Amino acid sequence: MKLIAAKSILKANDQLAVENRQRFDAAGVFCVNMVGSPGCGKTTLLEALFSHLRGSLRLAVIEGDIAGSIDAERMEALGVPVVQINTEGACHLDANMTASAVAQLDLTDVDLLIIENVGNLVCTAGFDLGEHLRIVVLGATEGDDKAVKYPAIFQGSNALVISKTDMLPYTNFSIPRITADMKRLAPDAPVFQVAALKREGTPKLAEWIAEEKTKR
Ligand SMILES: Nc1nc2c(ncn2[C@@H]2O[C@H](COP(=O)(O)OP(=O)(O)OP(=O)(O)O)[C@@H](O)[C@H]2O)c(=O)[nH]1
Ligand SMILES: [Mg+2]
């Protein structure tokens, strides 16, 4: 019997992630990995962030989806350079897929690269892509218990974005509860509240990302 431990696969991924990060650093590219469950509002948030940042930073996107190019088309419509990765079933991106996508981009033209990971709160947690920041997005319609139930992704993130806050009046989602849970899991991570469709809260998040970039 041949047995491959998941640990060794993760180790190989970590090595590739280090190489991706070195590549980004050498090119002066700041990389953000955006994670969250399907439909939590990642692409809509990207659309808002780009409208705020495009005057000051040169942007590019890698879109991770199991199939199709819907999100990449949304980015293309904004004139943002984009590479779509189709994982064909895999529930997360890994550092190897990221490296292949990065090879399709001209990094000399990029200041901020945002990777929209496959919609998933579980598998995405275990795979470093080489990013500088990981941002987890949680919709106000998804339940305020998610940090307790899916701790790894929250623990491994540098910020929590509560999205769709315009829906708060229609749910029992408690901002104090999720904020307290995030504080316990990732004490240094700020919590943002956004309603991306209305561009509410998104300027502040864009400002924070730009500020984090200057720290590298
Ligand atoms: N009410 C409300 N709906 C939103 C907001 N942001 C996104 N949505 C809606 O949520 C749905 C999913 O949004 P997307 O941005 O495509 O979500 P996503 O996380 O990129 O989805 P996947 O890539 O499939 O994982 C769409 O119908 C959006 O219009 C918001 O601020 N308020
Ligand atoms: Mg999307």
Side-chain angles (χ1 to χ4, degrees):
M1 182 204 289
K2 286 187 179 158
L3 194 148
I4 299 173
K7 245 185 186 171
S8 68
I9 295 170
L10 287 174
K11 203 167 158 198
N13 183 79
D14 284 349
Q15 181 51 38
L16 282 173
V18 166
E19 289 166 24
N20 286 346
R21 199 170 291 112
Q22 284 168 347
R23 186 134 190 249
F24 296 143
D25 288 339
V29 172
F30 188 62
C31 180
V32 174
N33 178 11
M34 190 176 282
V35 296
S37 43
C40 67
K42 298 179 293 299
T43 310
T44 308
L45 182 57
L46 284 183
E47 289 166 339
L49 289 175
F50 291 159
S51 71
H52 305 313
L53 291 169
R54 67 183 322 148
S56 51
L57 293 173
R58 295 169 303 164
L59 309 158
V61 184
I62 294 173
E63 286 289 352
D65 279 294
I66 288 176
S69 57
I70 291 174
D71 285 356
E73 285 161 25
R74 287 169 67 180
M75 292 299 113
E76 227 164 31
L78 302 177
V80 178
V82 57
V83 180
Q84 175 82 55
I85 301 175
N86 278 161
T87 62
E88 295 177 347
C91 51
H92 60 85
L93 295 179
D94 63 28
N96 191 30
M97 296 175 201
T98 304
S100 304
V102 167
Q104 306 295 315
L105 290 167
D106 181 359
L107 291 187
T108 57
D109 278 341
V110 179
D111 300 313
L112 173 63
L113 171 64
I114 303 191
I115 302 171
E116 179 182 342
N117 216 316
V118 179
N120 192 299
L121 271 185
V122 184
C123 316
T124 48
F127 289 81
D128 184 3
L129 306 181
E131 72 269 19
H132 298 103
L133 276 188
R134 188 181 297 180
I135 296 178
V136 60
V137 182
L138 179 69
T141 48
E142 291 183 68
D144 55 15
D145 55 357
K146 293 301 168 290
V148 173
K149 295 176 75 173
Y150 304 87
I153 194 79
F154 291 87
Q155 200 157 27
S157 291
N158 304 100
L160 165 63
V161 175
I162 301 164
S163 61
K164 309 190 190 181
T165 53
D166 54 302
M167 300 301 283
L168 282 170
Y170 312 104
T171 74
N172 60 356
F173 191 99
S174 161
I175 299 278
R177 179 182 179 185
I178 192 77
T179 304
D181 288 339
M182 187 63 183
K183 188 96 194 137
R184 189 173 45 78
L185 291 165
D188 298 328
V191 176
F192 295 91
Q193 297 181 41
V194 305
L197 279 178
K198 296 182 174 175
R199 304 287 192 262
E200 285 174 10
T202 49
K204 198 170 161 199
L205 176 62
E207 223 171 82
W208 179 76
I209 292 171
E211 203 177 290
E212 289 298 304
K213 182 185 183 315
T214 64
K215 294 181 186 167
R216 300 283 158 176

